[in-house]
């Protein structure tokens, strides 16, 4: 578990530094739509770019302005401060408009701050629809990304290597789904904070190392004594979050345990295995675009609501905490719809607006969580 | 019969209430000190003195407010949202919608017949719509905060404060003062700006039934009357106790429930 916490709470964590010491490349990416398998197949460590450990916003604010989501601003801030100097490459995606702008803001900041722009800096486009033309476009985007990685890093990403990578990632997905099953049982043996730490760690650790550690951890969870009875079972959803502190804050005082979440860094699509035979590029596209139901995708609200309902039923959720980072239009708007529809089904909901980053609003958020727990007690 | 207490350590004021048989036998309010424990001690000492009781007479005490987790003498802490709901129900049994404007934030909540909160929203943006907003503006106008409430009735042409941000609104107020605008018109504009922020929040919870305001701003007649116009509904008044004490009253009532075994089971 210590490895997971180290990986989840530090930008320059041990697995990444060790990988670099071995002279191997690391590429950061911003969104769950990027098939990490491509980099794994090229023996490059793919890591999700994160904004934790930010202690100011002077650089982020300069290039972005103040009225925009603080998550990509924190990434830019860290880049400007040289915290990502270990990166050999970065892939930016239009997860949302604020994230898309990271491409131009980072490039511009790179003109002013020497050495902060990785030598490989790539914009990976992602359609908003899964209709046939959208899927064809995404397949082409994946092929372009593969070509680009091959050229820049002088590697060869064959179909066989991709299939091997898919198998490695499927193994991790399968194990994370096992954790999801364990946390949703009536008798809870693992805290939401620990599960989230493991899930976030999965986005920055070498896959083989992560899978081996996860396997051992699952065995230890099974030996755990059940958590205290009577805790409220909560679900955490909303804007992008890789902040272990946030889950910890919800679970503080032992009045609640997070038994499910639907967060960009969390376990969402782990029950979906990518076909290991056939055309690997097509299979990656079908999974990463076709199976995604995050609010950036058009016309998928009912699917997303159904996804939440299934998780709520499966994990026996007592209440849902919906957080959105300020100026996050996607989740801010959708949380209001979720609240309307879930409350109508008798599922209590709490909406919180907050800033991303070191928990600067702990008192305010804790008050709302406390009041919510009192409401559903 | 048991004596119970509630202590509400807020960002601007701290309140303590001692109750017996669901009646207030002592209460006290002070301006909050830098350390929550000091505020709680002083407020409770005043309430106990008014009740003619000592600390050992209190059988159960719940703390609330922003300093709730730092009060050593309470048995447990509860959110002020739950406490204000409970307190509002005691102040006005028919109430279904509660607006609590505290020093640091503003909440709108709906409660059931037992004073339990069924839905709530709290301001997430900034200090506008809070007691702090009024305090800052009263300081700029160099008037007593209570006097500001009366300005709405006296104003001839209230000014408009367009800025949501307290700091920008303060700059606007200074501009109006320097331009020679009557203080009443500026004060009325401040009350209206405050009421507009609060009205948005209240409408978002879809108010039903009788509405009651709690917290210090409930005593600002200018904000209350403007809010009534904006909501298109009357806000009920209560003479049973000071609405600013609602959080402490609610905490004392929850203490009573705990003592009688009717309260929340500790999880």
């Amino acid at each position: 578990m210590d490895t997971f916490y180290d990986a989840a709470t530090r930008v320059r964590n041990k697995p990444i530094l060790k990988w670099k010491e071995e002279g191997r490349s690391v590429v950061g990416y911003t969104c769950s739509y990027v098939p990490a398998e491509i980099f794994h197949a090229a023996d490059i460590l793919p890591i999700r770019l994160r904004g934790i450990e930010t202690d100011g916003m002077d650089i982020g604010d300069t290039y972005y302005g103040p009225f925009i989501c603080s998550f990509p601003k924190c990434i830019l801030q860290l880049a400007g401060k040289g915290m990502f100097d270990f990166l050999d490459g970065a892939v930016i995606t239009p997860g949302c408009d604020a994230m898309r702008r990271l491409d131009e803001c980072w490039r511009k900041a790179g003109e002013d701050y020497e050495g902060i722009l990785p030598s490989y800096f790539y914009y990976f486009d992602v359609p908003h629809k899964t209709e046939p033309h959208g899927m064809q476009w995404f397949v082409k985007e994946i092929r372009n990304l593969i070509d680009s990685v091959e050229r820049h890093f002088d590697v060869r990403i064959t179909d066989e290597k991709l299939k091997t990578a898919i198998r490695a990632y499927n193994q991790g997905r399968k194990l994370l789904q096992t954790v999801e099953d364990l946390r949703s049982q009536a008798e809870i043996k693992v805290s939401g904070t620990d599960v989230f730490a493991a899930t976030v760690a999965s986005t920055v650790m070498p896959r083989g190392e992560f899978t081996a550690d996860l396997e051992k951890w699952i065995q230890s969870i099974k030996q755990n004594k059940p958590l205290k009875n009577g805790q409220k079972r909560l679900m955490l959803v909303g804007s992008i979050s890789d902040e272990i502190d946030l889950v910890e804050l919800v679970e503080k005082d032992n009045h609640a345990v997070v038994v499910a979440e639907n967060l960009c860094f969390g376990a969402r699509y782990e029950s979906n295995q990518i076909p290991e035979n056939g055309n690997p590029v097509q299979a990656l596209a079908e999974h990463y675009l076709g199976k995604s139901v995050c609010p950036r995708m058009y016309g998928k609200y009912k699917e997303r609501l159904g996804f939440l309902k299934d998780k709520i039923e499966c994990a026996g959720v007592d209440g849902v905490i919906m957080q959105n980072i300020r100026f996050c239009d996607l989740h801010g708007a959708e949380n209001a719809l979720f609240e309307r529809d879930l409350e109508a089904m008798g599922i209590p909901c709490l909406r919180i607006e907050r800033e991303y980053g070191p928990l600067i609003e702990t008192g305010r958020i804790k008050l709302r969580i406390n009041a919510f727990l009192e409401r559903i007690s | 019969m048991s004596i119970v207490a509630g202590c509400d350590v807020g960002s601007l004021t701290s309140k303590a209430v001692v109750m017996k048989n669901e009646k207030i036998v002592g209460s006290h309010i002070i301006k909050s000190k830098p350390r929550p424990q000091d505020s709680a001690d002083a407020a409770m000492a005043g309430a106990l003195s008014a009740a003619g009781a000592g600390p050992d007479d209190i059988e159960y005490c719940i703390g609330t407010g922003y300093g709730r987790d730092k009060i050593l003498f309470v048995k447990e802490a509860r959110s002020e949202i739950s406490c204000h709901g409970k307190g509002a129900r005691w102040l006005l049994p028919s109430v279904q919608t509660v607006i609590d404007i505290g020093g640091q934030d503003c909440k709108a909540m709906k409660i059931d017949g037992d004073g339990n909160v069924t839905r709530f929203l709290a301001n997430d943006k900034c200090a506008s719509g809070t007691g702090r907003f009024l305090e800052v503006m009263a300081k700029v106008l160099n008037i007593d905060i209570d006097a500001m409430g009366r300005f709405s009735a006296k104003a001839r042409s209230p000014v408009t404060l367009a800025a949501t941000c307290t700091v920008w609104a303060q700059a606007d107020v200074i501009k109006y003062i320097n331009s020679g605008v009557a203080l009443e018109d500026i004060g009325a504009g401040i009350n209206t700006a405050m009421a507009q922020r609060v009205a948005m929040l209240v409408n978002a919870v879809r108010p039903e039934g009788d509405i009651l305001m709690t917290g210090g701003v409930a005593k600002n007649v200018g904000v209350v009357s403007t809010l009534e116009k904006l909501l298109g509904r009357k806000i009920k008044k209560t003479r049973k106790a000071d609405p600013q004490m609602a959080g402490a009253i609610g905490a004392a009532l929850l203490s009573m429930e705990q003592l009688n075994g009717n309260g929340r089971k500790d999880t």
Side-chain angles (χ1 to χ4, degrees):
Chain A
M1 201 62 221
D2 288 349
T3 313
F4 291 156
Y5 269 97
D6 171 66
T9 56
R10 294 176 61 201
V11 172
R12 303 167 71 91
N13 55 57
K14 285 177 193 165
I16 292 175
L17 296 178
K18 187 168 167 275
W19 185 275
K20 286 299 289 184
E21 277 169 18
E22 291 164 2
R24 299 155 94 183
S25 300
V26 178
V27 168
Y29 61 98
T30 55
C31 189
S32 59
Y33 289 81
V34 176
E37 287 88 341
I38 292 171
F39 298 95
H40 184 93
D43 196 32
I44 295 168
L45 175 62
I47 62 159
R48 281 290 293 267
L49 290 173
R50 309 173 55 200
I52 53 165
E53 297 186 282
T54 315
D55 58 6
M57 202 59 96
D58 52 314
I59 299 168
D61 273 343
T62 300
Y63 295 92
Y64 263 109
F67 306 114
I68 199 160
C69 170
S70 38
F71 181 76
K73 280 205 294 188
C74 282
I75 293 178
L76 185 60
Q77 178 74 19
L78 291 180
K81 293 284 182 187
M83 286 284 278
F84 291 133
D85 60 3
F86 58 83
L87 286 180
D88 299 284
V91 177
I92 311 297
T93 46
C96 60
D97 198 49
M99 203 64 96
R100 180 196 60 76
R101 285 183 55 194
L102 185 59
D103 181 73
E104 57 221 40
C105 288
W106 197 339
R107 285 181 197 274
K108 182 65 188 157
E111 295 173 9
D112 304 328
Y113 293 85
E114 200 181 338
I116 68 162
L117 195 70
S119 57
Y120 179 73
F121 200 78
Y122 188 88
Y123 181 77
F124 179 67
D125 216 348
V126 183
H128 289 276
K129 292 182 179 176
T130 53
E131 270 78 11
H133 62 282
M135 191 58 75
Q136 285 163 18
W137 172 11
F138 194 58
V139 167
K140 202 174 169 189
E141 284 292 333
I142 292 177
R143 290 200 191 284
N144 288 345
L145 176 61
I146 291 171
D147 288 348
S148 167
V149 170
E150 284 183 330
R151 276 199 310 275
H152 183 89
F153 291 95
D154 194 20
V155 290
R156 190 82 184 95
I157 302 171
T158 62
D159 279 3
E160 280 316 305
K161 284 183 179 175
L162 277 178
K163 285 177 185 176
T164 306
I166 288 171
R167 268 196 294 279
Y169 272 75
N170 273 346
Q171 175 65 6
R173 284 189 189 99
K174 198 173 158 189
L175 292 172
L176 279 171
Q177 184 56 43
T178 305
V179 177
E180 284 295 286
D181 294 341
L182 284 170
R183 80 190 303 199
S184 60
Q185 288 175 2
E187 197 174 57
I188 308 166
K189 290 186 169 184
V190 60
S191 74
T193 310
D194 282 354
V195 173
F196 197 50
T199 318
V200 172
S202 77
T203 67
V204 290
M205 285 178 70
R207 200 60 174 187
E209 188 181 334
F210 169 74
T211 307
D213 285 353
L214 187 60
E215 206 152 13
K216 282 184 222 154
W217 186 53
I218 288 170
Q219 293 311 315
S220 74
I221 293 174
K222 290 176 180 169
Q223 309 304 318
N224 285 352
K225 286 181 183 168
L227 301 182
K228 199 173 103 176
N229 278 334
Q231 295 187 83
K232 288 293 163 192
R233 301 168 67 95
L234 299 182
M235 183 180 195
L236 186 61
V237 307
S239 290
I240 190 165
S241 177
D242 58 349
E243 304 140 285
I244 309 305
D245 300 0
L246 183 64
V247 187
E248 205 166 26
L249 187 69
V250 174
E251 296 188 327
K252 200 178 159 191
D253 304 331
N254 295 325
H255 288 149
V257 59
V258 176
V259 293
E261 30 83 358
N262 183 25
L263 297 169
C264 188
F265 271 85
R268 288 198 291 191
Y269 313 122
E270 268 57 36
S271 58
N272 302 326
Q273 292 278 299
I274 301 180
E276 295 171 8
N277 300 313
N279 182 336
V281 171
Q282 188 68 35
L284 288 170
E286 300 276 353
H287 174 81
Y288 280 94
L289 185 71
K291 298 289 197 299
S292 293
V293 290
C294 92
R296 75 173 294 282
M297 299 301 290
Y298 294 163
K300 297 247 180 181
Y301 176 73
K302 282 184 182 168
E303 273 183 64
R304 285 192 288 276
L305 182 64
F307 185 80
L308 286 198
K309 276 168 60 186
D310 288 347
K311 274 205 167 194
I312 287 166
E313 276 173 30
C314 178
V317 168
D318 296 313
V320 181
I321 295 179
M322 300 164 172
Q323 53 81 31
N324 72 280
I325 298 171
R326 289 203 175 96
F327 309 111
C328 175
D329 296 336
L330 291 177
H331 288 281
E334 185 142 289
N335 283 352
L337 297 175
F338 279 152
E339 184 188 32
R340 179 198 66 189
D341 292 339
L342 293 176
E343 285 273 1
M345 295 171 204
I347 300 158
C349 298
L350 169 69
R351 273 198 291 150
I352 299 172
E353 194 177 59
R354 67 188 190 92
E355 286 290 2
Y356 171 83
L359 275 182
I360 48 179
E361 303 166 297
T362 311
R364 191 178 63 78
I365 295 173
K366 188 68 187 156
L367 165 69
R368 285 147 180 76
I369 293 169
N370 281 354
F372 182 60
L373 289 173
E374 287 161 12
R375 178 194 154 190
I376 64 178
S377 287
Chain B
M1 181 52 77
S2 316
I3 293 182
V4 292
C7 188
D8 177 4
V9 177
S11 62
L12 285 180
T13 60
S14 295
K15 292 78 64 176
V17 162
V18 178
M19 293 185 99
K20 187 177 180 183
N21 294 340
E22 293 195 15
K23 288 195 171 67
I24 296 175
V25 292
S27 66
H28 195 58
I29 179 168
I30 61 159
K31 199 165 171 55
S32 287
K33 299 169 188 287
R35 297 169 74 91
Q37 183 62 47
D38 294 341
S39 304
D41 286 340
M44 188 53 75
L48 287 169
S49 172
D56 295 341
D57 296 322
I58 303 297
E59 293 188 57
Y60 207 98
C61 181
I62 285 178
T64 188
Y66 269 83
R68 63 189 181 281
D69 293 323
K70 305 287 181 196
I71 311 173
L72 296 175
F73 59 75
V74 300
K75 291 229 166 111
E76 61 175 299
R78 294 284 183 93
S79 75
E80 52 264 44
I81 293 171
S82 298
C83 291
H84 274 271
K86 215 58 157 173
R89 171 92 173 95
W90 182 88
L91 286 164
L92 183 73
S94 62
V95 67
Q96 289 183 47
T97 305
V98 183
I99 306 164
D100 164 38
I101 307 179
Q104 194 157 275
D105 57 16
C106 169
K107 303 116 184 162
M109 60 196 97
K110 292 212 290 207
I111 58 172
D112 65 17
D114 293 322
N116 298 316
V117 175
T118 55
R119 178 169 158 72
F120 70 90
L121 276 177
N123 69 313
D124 278 318
K125 290 287 184 290
C126 61
S128 69
T130 71
R132 185 74 70 188
F133 179 81
L134 288 182
E135 193 187 65
V136 168
M137 298 308 162
K139 205 169 177 181
V140 174
L141 292 176
N142 197 24
I143 57 165
D144 188 86
I145 194 162
D146 295 333
M148 185 125 79
R150 296 189 287 275
F151 279 179
S152 290
K154 295 176 186 170
R156 291 187 171 183
S157 178
V159 300
T160 301
L161 292 179
T164 304
C165 167
T166 300
V167 177
W168 295 134
Q170 186 181 351
D172 281 348
V173 167
I174 292 168
K175 184 195 76 181
Y176 285 127
I177 294 170
N178 292 343
S179 306
V181 176
L183 289 189
E184 288 81 359
D185 287 341
I186 302 173
I190 292 167
N191 292 335
T192 302
M194 170 91 176
Q196 284 170 338
R197 316 273 184 267
V198 177
M200 283 190 282
L201 199 69
V202 178
N203 282 326
V205 296
R206 295 184 186 162
E208 287 176 327
D210 285 349
I211 303 175
L212 183 71
M213 262 179 85
T214 61
V217 181
K219 292 187 276 192
N220 180 312
V221 290
V223 173
V224 175
S225 61
T226 311
L227 194 51
E228 285 179 332
K229 283 181 200 157
L230 293 170
L231 296 175
R233 318 165 69 112
K234 294 298 283 182
I235 293 172
K236 294 280 180 180
K237 291 175 180 58
T238 174
R239 295 183 194 282
K240 203 169 175 183
D242 181 347
Q244 196 168 3
M245 304 299 288
I249 294 169
L253 292 166
L254 287 166
S255 294
M256 181 72 77
E257 287 183 6
Q258 288 298 100
L259 201 60
N260 294 339
N262 303 325
R264 181 180 74 173
K265 303 286 179 287
D266 192 19
T267 50

